Amino acid sequence: MQHRPAVFAALLGLTRAGSAIGDFWVQSDFCARVKGASDDHPVTYQDPVTDETTTHGTADGRKACLQHCLTYTATQAIVAGAGARALGIRVHPAAAAAALAISFGTHYAADRRVPGKGLLEKIATKTGKGGFYKLADFGMNGAFHLDSAWHHGWETAAAVVATTKATTR
């Protein structure tokens, strides 16, 4: 399949764009703030419209992360699907589903950032990047950058999977 590298590049670009839109424009303020909540590390949320203050634990944190990952993955599917169609790329449905499942699962695993227990924090600590993960100074946020790198890596793997049996018109 001579076109696979071009299809890969197109799908990676499309899923990257869908990721950024899903993470920063579609994700609600509530999900962004509460998705890492746990009973040991509750999150207090003040609604910007009503000023109502609520406290959230593990169940709400999981729900907020799930809601975010569903809207994030749906956004990727819409952007990648529309873009692929516009570019004349036919993605095999099973490959698309597998790629989106990779994106969803790895995104949830990374975004459930329960302090001291989150996957990214554990990986950062074990690889000597714990200090960078906790950095929140000088205009830098290490957890954000490691999170982004994690997502970019898995989106690349998902784009490779998505090219399986892909054709062009």
Side-chain angles (χ1 to χ4, degrees):
M1 173 181 349
Q2 293 179 346
H3 69 283
R4 191 170 184 195
V7 170
F8 164 76
L11 291 176
L12 179 58
L14 291 165
T15 57
R16 233 0 275 134
S19 171
I21 294 165
D23 246 353
F24 304 119
W25 286 99
V26 175
Q27 179 175 206
S28 71
D29 181 61
F30 178 82
C31 288
R33 294 178 186 274
V34 175
K35 65 188 177 185
S38 71
D39 293 340
D40 293 337
H41 294 84
V43 171
T44 301
Y45 178 77
Q46 184 173 9
D47 188 297
V49 176
T50 67
D51 284 333
E52 179 185 359
T53 300
T54 53
T55 302
H56 304 274
T58 301
D60 290 338
R62 288 177 179 156
K63 282 187 230 174
C65 194
L66 177 63
Q67 180 181 352
H68 164 55
C69 290
L70 288 170
T71 60
Y72 168 90
T73 306
T75 303
Q76 278 190 315
I78 291 165
V79 171
R85 183 165 180 82
L87 294 171
I89 299 168
R90 291 184 181 149
V91 180
H92 191 278
L100 290 169
I102 289 168
S103 184
F104 176 88
T106 59
H107 201 88
Y108 185 92
D111 276 22
R112 266 300 280 154
R113 284 192 235 164
V114 176
K117 297 180 182 178
L119 178 66
L120 286 184
E121 185 177 0
K122 286 180 181 180
I123 292 171
T125 300
K126 288 186 180 189
T127 59
K129 297 286 183 192
F132 182 67
Y133 180 88
K134 293 176 183 174
L135 176 66
D137 205 352
F138 309 105
M140 289 284 295
N141 182 310
F144 172 80
H145 286 290
L146 291 173
D147 175 270
S148 292
W150 169 270
H151 295 321
H152 290 217
W154 283 108
E155 287 160 5
T156 301
V160 169
V161 169
T163 64
T164 304
K165 297 184 181 181
T167 61
T168 55
R169 294 181 230 169

